[in-house]
Amino acid sequence: MTRFPPIPDAALNEDQRRMSAKASHTGPYPAFLRAPLLWEALQHVRIHLAQHSLLDAPLREVAMLATARHWRCTSAFASHRGLALKAGLDEATIAALAGEAQAEDLDGRRAAALAVTRALLREGGIDDSLHADALAALGEQALVELVGLIGFFTTICLTINLAGVSAEAPFAGAPGTYSASGHNPID
């Protein structure tokens, strides 16, 4: 179900036509088609995070899955499950993230990213101890880029939720319960 029905091609303005030619037509697409210049601006952030940041793919997937879980965005979680597996995360880690449990097998950088992501989303900030630990694990640039990733993916998740897009499976965390949608806002 989507709250934003398709716009006939003949009714698209120039910005919408440009977006439609470049964008995946899943996930938040129907909503962003109503604000194509915002979508274009977000693509600069997406490209930076995927191609130029210090955050590797597994770390990005940990943060994005935790963000999707926080916002109860089943569609984003489902579409990133396969990407997380491809990036090297295992089913146990994904199940832990789906259930908001501690992911036991994360290395220091990924564990720090998860702790920061969850603290920022739950509390709106982090304490000095977590900041020091995250700074030691990630460094200044990656820590700031992590915040950018969380903000970017929060925008994606909330737009998907606004559009009423959902996945079939709940956040059960069980292997094989999420179907890939093909939506891939980062890579």
Side-chain angles (χ1 to χ4, degrees), residues 129-145:
S129 175
L130 179 53
H131 180 265
D133 291 347
L135 200 56
L138 299 170
E140 289 179 331
Q141 180 180 337
L143 183 55
V144 173
E145 288 175 339

Side-chain angles (χ1 to χ4, degrees), residues 65 69 77 81 84-85 89-103 105 118 171-178:
L65 288 174
R69 177 63 180 104
F77 196 98
R81 179 188 171 276
L85 289 167
L89 300 181
D90 61 25
E91 288 284 359
T93 298
I94 295 168
L97 294 169
E100 294 188 310
Q102 184 56 40
D105 65 337
R118 286 180 170 169
F171 288 113
T177 60
Y178 301 101

Side-chain angles (χ1 to χ4, degrees), residues 29-59:
Y29 168 83
F32 278 127
L33 191 57
R34 275 60 181 185
L37 296 179
L38 174 59
W39 177 85
E40 284 182 357
L42 288 168
Q43 297 318 296
H44 293 286
V45 175
R46 178 190 63 80
I47 290 166
H48 171 79
L49 292 168
Q51 297 176 6
H52 306 293
S53 83
L54 297 177
L55 307 176
D56 63 20
L59 188 148

Side-chain angles (χ1 to χ4, degrees), residues 55-80:
L55 307 176
D56 63 20
L59 188 148
R60 289 193 315 264
E61 292 302 329
V62 165
M64 288 187 289
L65 288 174
T67 301
R69 177 63 180 104
H70 175 81
W71 293 115
R72 296 174 183 85
C73 187
T74 57
S75 176
F77 196 98
S79 64
H80 274 268

